[in-house]
Amino acid sequence: MTDARRDPGRVRHKWLELDGMRVFYREAGRRGAPVLLLPHGYPCSSYEFRELMPLLADRWHLVAPDFPGCGYTDTPDDFRYDFDGFAGFLEDFAEKLGFGRFAIYLHDFGSQIGLRLAIRRPEKIAALIIQNGDIYEDVLGPKYAGLQEYWRNPTEEGRRKIADAVSEEGFREEFLNEVRPELAERISPDLWKLHWSLMDDRRRGIAVDVIAGLRENVGWFPRYQQYLRDHQPPALIVWGPQDGYMPEESARAFLRDLPKAELHLFDGGHWLLETSLHEVAPLIRGFLGRVHAA
């Protein structure tokens, strides 16, 4: 009997070869069960989903890869480190594992990467779980102000400020990001300590390039919105409003294009699975049980 059948809630840590690159991913649940694909955000990795996966693995097959240049996956020289490149990677990864239709979790950078995949392969998308992912420019939070200034005037000084934020202290700020002190106590320093320890000069340069290039991604926002309007995928929106990048207004904006979506706001922030896991997981379970179950 396989580990997945003996103990479906146990997270398994695996590697595969993809286009000459060694890819790390976490997996839980039984192969053949309905799939939930879990692309991570910045500055994180599949570690983001380590506690959610066991809570759903009795009914779903959960898979969370580390993107190239992130976590334990390789950092190949010939990879295209932008949102199109990451979306292509995610598509190839899903094909390699033989996924048919799947639900996808959209969070942080993973939201735009996942939506680019959805635009490419709409027939693959069974449902969306949307959590603090931004695709509406008019409701971006105040922490975007520095980046918006850089987009208007992309100077070397502005790029240096971005580079300064790609640091251990910058990672800490990204993970704590506006939550009240008593909620910050729930966010383990393992998050920024681990992910900073996995950075080197090459990865740091990639991160700076991706952040500096976010203006191009914002240009895609109308395309993401059009996909939602055209396809109306079943959607669950779970959101932590204590988020300087993506406040409550960013969550409610999704209802413009997904008026039938379920929206739930929590006493939490950008990393909702760290602060509110046991409130969020039952909602995901109920939602997937209605729209994406065997």
Side-chain angles (χ1 to χ4, degrees):
M1 185 181 293
T2 65
D3 285 346
R5 290 190 180 273
R6 280 197 305 267
D7 186 1
R10 183 175 296 279
V11 176
R12 303 178 297 281
H13 305 88
K14 307 180 87 168
W15 281 263
L16 60 76
E17 292 289 325
L18 189 63
D19 297 328
M21 169 176 42
R22 194 164 187 250
V23 175
F24 174 81
Y25 64 102
R26 299 170 199 261
E27 181 179 47
R30 175 183 57 83
R31 290 202 174 193
V35 173
L36 174 57
L37 184 60
L38 300 159
H40 64 82
Y42 170 86
C44 207
S45 68
S46 59
Y47 187 75
E48 167 178 352
F49 299 108
R50 71 200 180 281
E51 294 185 325
L52 174 67
M53 296 173 76
L55 301 180
L56 303 174
D58 59 321
R59 293 189 63 189
W60 291 277
H61 180 200
L62 299 103
V63 181
D66 289 353
F67 285 116
C70 300
Y72 300 127
T73 292
D74 286 349
T75 310
D77 291 336
D78 59 351
F79 185 78
R80 180 179 174 182
Y81 292 96
D82 61 16
F83 286 88
D84 264 350
F86 291 128
F89 162 82
L90 197 60
E91 181 178 10
D92 293 345
F93 176 82
E95 290 293 326
K96 180 85 171 183
L97 290 180
F99 294 164
R101 281 166 59 79
F102 49 84
I104 189 166
Y105 194 105
L106 304 179
H107 174 238
D108 194 83
F109 280 16
S111 59
Q112 295 103 23
I113 294 165
L115 284 170
R116 291 197 191 207
L117 172 56
I119 290 168
R120 293 181 184 201
R121 302 296 300 274
E123 76 282 0
K124 292 281 191 180
I125 306 303
L128 305 178
I129 299 166
I130 303 167
Q131 189 254 297
N132 293 72
D134 50 332
I135 65 165
Y136 295 91
E137 188 173 7
D138 63 308
V139 288
L140 295 178
K143 291 194 80 163
Y144 262 107
L147 277 174
Q148 289 169 321
E149 175 58 32
Y150 178 78
W151 297 338
R152 289 188 294 268
N153 184 26
T155 64
E156 283 301 315
E157 180 183 358
R159 187 178 174 85
R160 281 195 297 273
K161 289 180 180 178
I162 292 171
D164 289 343
V166 183
S167 63
E168 182 176 340
E169 182 57 31
F171 281 17
R172 178 181 181 275
E173 170 62 22
E174 291 293 327
F175 284 113
L176 296 182
N177 183 10
E178 304 287 315
V179 297
R180 297 194 317 276
E182 66 270 23
L183 291 176
E185 292 175 354
R186 303 180 189 177
I187 301 176
S188 172
D190 295 344
L191 282 159
W192 57 89
K193 292 287 187 181
L194 168 64
H195 291 98
W196 181 246
S197 75
L198 294 170
M199 296 294 281
D200 55 21
D201 288 345
R202 170 89 172 115
R203 287 186 166 196
R204 189 165 180 260
I206 290 167
V208 173
D209 287 342
V210 170
I211 295 167
L214 281 175
R215 173 74 265 180
E216 184 269 344
N217 185 54
V218 171
W220 270 69
F221 281 11
R223 300 191 211 185
Y224 304 144
Q225 296 160 21
Q226 189 68 50
Y227 163 79
L228 299 179
R229 286 195 296 274
D230 288 347
H231 294 278
Q232 293 296 306
L236 171 69
I237 306 168
V238 288
W239 208 274
Q242 295 171 47
D243 184 343
Y245 291 106
M246 302 161 211
E248 180 177 334
E249 292 81 1
S250 297
R252 294 192 180 280
F254 278 91
L255 298 177
R256 302 172 190 173
D257 299 309
L258 292 173
K260 295 181 180 179
E262 301 177 38
L263 170 63
H264 300 268
L265 302 173
F266 295 85
D267 185 19
H270 189 78
W271 300 91
L272 195 63
L273 298 181
E274 301 298 322
T275 61
S276 309
L277 174 68
H278 293 288
E279 299 167 82
V280 172
L283 290 172
I284 295 175
R285 172 177 285 278
F287 170 71
L288 292 179
R290 292 189 295 276
V291 304
H292 186 50

